[in-house]
Amino acid sequence: MTSPTPPQEMTMDIFLKGIWEENPVFVMLLGMCPVLAVTNTTINALAMGLATTFVLLCSSILVSLLRHAIPKQVRIATYIIIIATFVTMVDYLIQAISLELYNALGAFIQLIVVNCMILGRAESYASRNGLYRSVISACGVGAGFTLALLCLGTVREVLGAGTLLGYPLFGPSFEPWVVMVLPPGGFFVLGCWLLLFAWLRQRKDRTTEALRHGR
Amino acid sequence: MAADSLTFIFLNALVINNFVLALFLGICPFLGVSAKLTTAFSMGLATTLVMIISSLCAWFINQVLVMFDLEFLRLIAYIAVIASAVQLVEMSMKKFSPALFRALGIFLPLITTNCAILGLALFQTFRDYNLAQSLVFSLGAGGGFILAIVLMAGLREKLELAEVPSIAEGAAMTLMLGGILSLIFMGFAGMGGGG
Amino acid sequence: MNQIPVVHKEIPPQLPFNSCAIIRTLTLIAAISGLLVVLVVEWTRPQIAANQRQAVEAAIFAVIPGAVQWRPFTLNAEGEVRQNASAGGTHIYTGYDEHGAIVGFAAEAASQGYADIIRLLYGYRPDCHCISGIKILKSAETPGLGDKIFTDSDFIANFTALDTRLDAGGQALLHPIVTVRHGKKENPWEIDAISGATISSRAIGRALDESASALLPQLMRQLPQFTLPEETTP
């Protein structure tokens, strides 16, 4: 609202940026702890992604609304308290929705507080932009985060347990690749996704290069 | 070994359930500050120091919160304590060891958002540890963090001049190394239950 | 949290603008966050309590077949029975049939497994002096190996009638519960281990043995204390 100098980005661009160009997991490598820890099943990954998105969205709204009132010296402390508030809320909400899910996610619900991604977005985007843009951006980044968690969760569940969302996929003769749902599998699967994206990026670069030379 | 003996708590936090490699706490500094051995070691030390301080504070705060039935403020109180502990370590380091302070630079304030520290405070609360157990737990967890980050930094220094495919440079390779380390640490898992 | 507004009132107005702004903002944030947290906590409290109750109830009815109602008790350090679930000590859940007669008891046991502590609830039936079922509450055992303790039907069958008779003096178990190699179970007080999950199987045997030998003598001595209180009988 008060930043007329940069040309207003298209709403869709802000949203998509969070999903692809600035994907918090695959590009920025932020908030890795939950990414690796709770993605052993698809449903856990989805719940974690939605919970994080909720916290991100709410804290972005509040930070953006209060951005002129928060003095610079105490801004980090303020953001942390705002985030901790919403995380406590999510913590109790999930307990009320399903105790089973709560036990599966364990301490990682409360550890959303220290997800650097949320503090990072509050500091670098919500505190400098109006409500509308902050909300769109938070939705985009949240969606990107959830998508990334789902990418990992699906692969790990399908390979490691032979199921998808709890339903068996391959029949009884399938011997699950157990290491995938164990901690090392988290590192390996994320590493493979990063390799895939690096390869895609390199191929795209090469194509543009070839096009330029051809012209 | 009894599950609540001090030795077991220490070993459990140090290797069996290593915070970084088995519980995925503190991944950000593990990936971000492990490029050089010396920085990695100082980072590990600073984190351990903050862990010990905040574990003690968190224990006392939890007593107060339980006394007044205010458990729902636990998260907010813990994060405030950790932020202050980090500030404290930062200030004392600036005064007593300016060289180390400069070496750690930006990473010092980032300890606040290290999940390992909040995770430690939360785990000791969930497991109902008493003061001595909490202290030993924080020592074990800190030692485990140093172990993991130093091992990682050692590997990365060795690989610095190695030729790797260009797509695997950077984060992807670091993650693969982390996976192998984590696989190795799984070998410790049976230690506690040998009976 | 509550102290911040108090501090605010004590600040004289002639302070520099900046610290005023800081205090004002922190007060505002603290008020907003306090309000939100308390609202959500109050709103979700009944639902959470109901969920927890439901989970406990499901576990109790699973380990005491035949029970249709239950009451919590505690056994404190002196061995006295209290009809209060929040008192300190060992929690014991008593299961009753539809006429209010005692069917069995459920208690928690725990032991170090392969990866982390395994916590379980087990049921005990005084009529057959046996353990009538177990339910794993928390475990981090290796998927595919140790977590067979949840799924292996042969292993679970160990606990439908595991002999826990007391000795003549009623002070200890007649036969300690032991875990034996897979296929070697000969006596009703032995647990047939899962091959490939020895440590997890042993952990369960150890947890049951420790808990049962401490709890059952006290339980049997004070059996009348656990009868369903008349006034609460539906």
Side-chain angles (χ1 to χ4, degrees), chain B residues 4-83:
Chain B
D4 52 356
S5 76
L6 293 183
T7 334
F8 180 71
I9 290 176
F10 182 76
L11 273 182
N12 191 31
L14 186 70
V15 286
I16 303 174
N17 281 314
N18 185 286
F19 265 43
V20 179
L21 296 170
L23 301 179
F24 295 120
L25 297 168
I27 295 287
C28 295
F30 177 68
L31 299 178
V33 202
S34 58
K36 276 185 65 196
L37 203 55
T38 42
T39 348
F41 187 66
S42 340
M43 181 67 187
L45 272 186
T47 310
T48 310
L49 199 61
V50 177
M51 273 183 174
I52 296 169
I53 298 175
S54 40
S55 153
L56 289 180
C57 298
W59 190 83
F60 283 110
I61 286 187
N62 192 45
Q63 299 305 307
V64 175
L65 289 182
V66 168
M67 198 190 302
F68 292 107
D69 229 358
L70 287 172
E71 278 103 335
F72 55 86
L73 288 180
R74 186 183 286 146
L75 194 59
I76 302 179
Y78 279 7
I79 194 74
V81 164
I82 291 169

Side-chain angles (χ1 to χ4, degrees), chain A residues 29 32-33 36-37 80 87-88 92 108 110-111 113-114 116 119 179 182-184 187-188 190 192 194-195 198-199 202, chain B residues 21-28 72 75-76 79 112-113 115 119 122 166-168 171 175-176 178-180 182-183 186:
Chain A
L29 295 176
M32 298 308 258
C33 303
L36 293 168
I80 283 269
V87 173
T88 312
Y92 279 89
F108 279 92
Q110 305 204 355
L111 287 175
V113 178
V114 281
C116 357
L119 190 64
V179 74
L182 295 177
F187 284 107
F188 288 139
L190 183 59
C192 288
L194 290 181
L195 280 182
W199 179 70
Q202 227 172 39
Chain B
L21 296 170
L23 301 179
F24 295 120
L25 297 168
I27 295 287
C28 295
F72 55 86
L75 194 59
I76 302 179
I79 194 74
T112 313
T113 50
C115 349
L122 290 174
S166 58
I167 54 164
L175 279 166
M176 290 297 177
I180 296 169
S182 161
L183 211 53
M186 272 183 63

Side-chain angles (χ1 to χ4, degrees), chain B residues 101-170:
Chain B
F101 178 75
R102 273 194 300 276
L104 287 177
I106 175 73
F107 296 116
L108 259 180
L110 279 185
I111 297 179
T112 313
T113 50
N114 184 340
C115 349
I117 297 179
L118 185 64
L120 177 92
L122 290 174
F123 282 145
Q124 75 181 35
T125 314
F126 293 155
R127 295 179 191 171
D128 280 330
Y129 282 164
N130 61 28
L131 189 56
Q133 285 171 327
S134 304
L135 189 63
V136 168
F137 186 47
S138 66
L139 281 174
F145 184 76
I146 297 182
L147 195 63
I149 200 169
V150 163
L151 281 175
M152 186 58 149
L155 283 176
R156 281 179 70 178
E157 277 199 352
K158 286 253 163 22
L159 282 170
E160 206 170 326
L161 298 177
E163 239 176 85
V164 285
S166 58
I167 54 164
E169 270 170 14

Side-chain angles (χ1 to χ4, degrees), chain C residues 28-227:
Chain C
L28 181 68
I29 298 290
I32 294 177
S33 86
L35 187 72
L36 285 174
V37 167
V38 169
L39 272 180
V40 170
V41 169
E42 286 303 322
W43 183 48
T44 53
R45 196 192 296 268
Q47 184 61 41
I48 293 172
N51 282 353
Q52 271 163 353
R53 208 186 139 77
Q54 217 169 12
V56 171
E57 187 168 282
I60 292 172
F61 290 167
V63 298
I64 317 176
V68 291
Q69 44 180 326
W70 62 281
R71 293 280 179 281
F73 291 88
T74 28
L75 199 63
N76 67 11
E78 287 82 47
E80 293 161 15
V81 178
R82 290 277 142 80
Q83 283 181 33
N84 184 357
S86 56
T90 318
H91 293 293
I92 298 172
Y93 307 100
T94 313
Y96 308 92
D97 64 11
E98 58 267 37
H99 309 298
I102 295 178
V103 181
F105 302 95
E108 269 189 34
S111 180
Q112 172 69 27
Y114 188 74
D116 207 345
I117 291 167
I118 302 177
R119 280 180 52 226
L120 58 92
L121 190 80
Y122 68 96
Y124 170 75
R125 291 180 65 119
D127 53 356
C128 69
H129 300 286
C130 63
I131 284 177
S132 54
I134 63 166
K135 186 172 169 62
I136 314 282
L137 301 175
K138 181 175 170 289
S139 106
E141 298 307 280
T142 320
L145 297 170
D147 76 342
K148 283 189 192 149
I149 54 174
F150 288 95
T151 51
D152 192 297
S153 53
D154 287 345
F155 184 68
I156 293 166
N158 279 313
F159 306 104
T160 44
L162 187 70
D163 184 0
T164 49
R165 274 173 296 167
L166 298 180
D167 62 11
Q171 294 299 323
L173 294 184
L174 186 58
H175 307 283
I177 301 170
V178 282
T179 310
V180 296
R181 190 147 30 113
H182 182 64
K184 298 276 188 229
K185 174 169 170 155
E186 284 167 351
N187 299 307
W189 57 85
E190 288 171 344
I191 298 172
D192 190 7
I194 305 171
S195 70
T198 318
I199 293 181
S200 311
S201 313
R202 278 200 187 136
I204 290 182
R206 201 166 53 235
L208 287 178
D209 186 53
E210 275 168 20
S211 170
S213 49
L215 198 63
L216 297 190
Q218 299 202 39
L219 205 71
M220 294 310 285
R221 220 169 19 245
Q222 311 187 51
L223 206 51
Q225 300 252 25
F226 292 98
T227 41

Side-chain angles (χ1 to χ4, degrees), chain A:
Chain A
M1 289 177 246
T2 48
S3 55
T5 20
Q8 287 281 331
E9 284 173 281
M10 291 272 294
T11 311
M12 211 52 201
D13 284 350
I14 307 178
F15 184 75
L16 287 179
K17 214 173 174 183
I19 293 186
W20 184 247
E21 230 173 289
E22 290 183 357
N23 186 294
V25 176
F26 292 136
V27 182
M28 315 284 273
L29 295 176
L30 288 175
M32 298 308 258
C33 303
V35 171
L36 293 168
V38 297
T39 52
N40 46 7
T41 66
T42 316
I43 193 78
N44 285 0
L46 185 65
M48 188 67 199
L50 291 180
T52 311
T53 307
F54 174 79
V55 174
L56 181 65
L57 186 61
C58 294
S59 56
S60 287
I61 292 175
L62 206 56
V63 167
S64 174
L65 283 177
L66 294 172
R67 69 186 188 282
H68 297 304
I70 298 176
K72 264 216 145 14
Q73 300 89 328
V74 290
R75 65 185 195 286
I76 299 290
T78 319
Y79 300 158
I80 283 269
I81 290 186
I82 291 176
I83 295 169
T85 306
F86 288 114
V87 173
T88 312
M89 285 167 59
V90 168
D91 188 55
Y92 279 89
L93 285 175
I94 291 191
Q95 272 186 69
I97 294 168
S98 160
L99 214 54
E100 211 174 307
L101 186 64
Y102 183 75
N103 289 334
L105 295 176
F108 279 92
I109 292 287
Q110 305 204 355
L111 287 175
I112 297 178
V113 178
V114 281
N115 189 328
C116 357
M117 179 187 88
I118 300 180
L119 190 64
R121 292 312 289 182
E123 162 81 2
S124 68
Y125 203 93
S127 65
R128 289 171 198 172
N129 286 285
L131 182 62
Y132 178 66
R133 286 158 64 94
S134 299
V135 166
I136 300 291
S137 159
C139 286
V141 174
F145 187 73
T146 312
L147 217 62
L149 284 177
L150 277 178
C151 284
L152 264 94
T154 321
V155 171
R156 287 179 71 185
E157 192 184 335
V158 167
L159 292 181
T163 57
L164 186 61
L165 290 166
Y167 298 104
L169 282 185
F170 303 115
S173 60
F174 177 75
E175 187 62 44
W177 207 1
V178 172
V179 74
M180 283 303 159
V181 290
L182 295 177
F187 284 107
F188 288 139
V189 174
L190 183 59
C192 288
W193 278 106
L194 290 181
L195 280 182
L196 178 70
F197 284 119
W199 179 70
L200 283 178
R201 207 173 309 129
Q202 227 172 39
R203 211 180 58 161
K204 197 176 138 203
D205 286 351
R206 260 205 302 274
T207 337
T208 30
E209 194 86 335
L211 275 179
R212 196 165 336 126
H213 280 291
R215 216 185 290 160

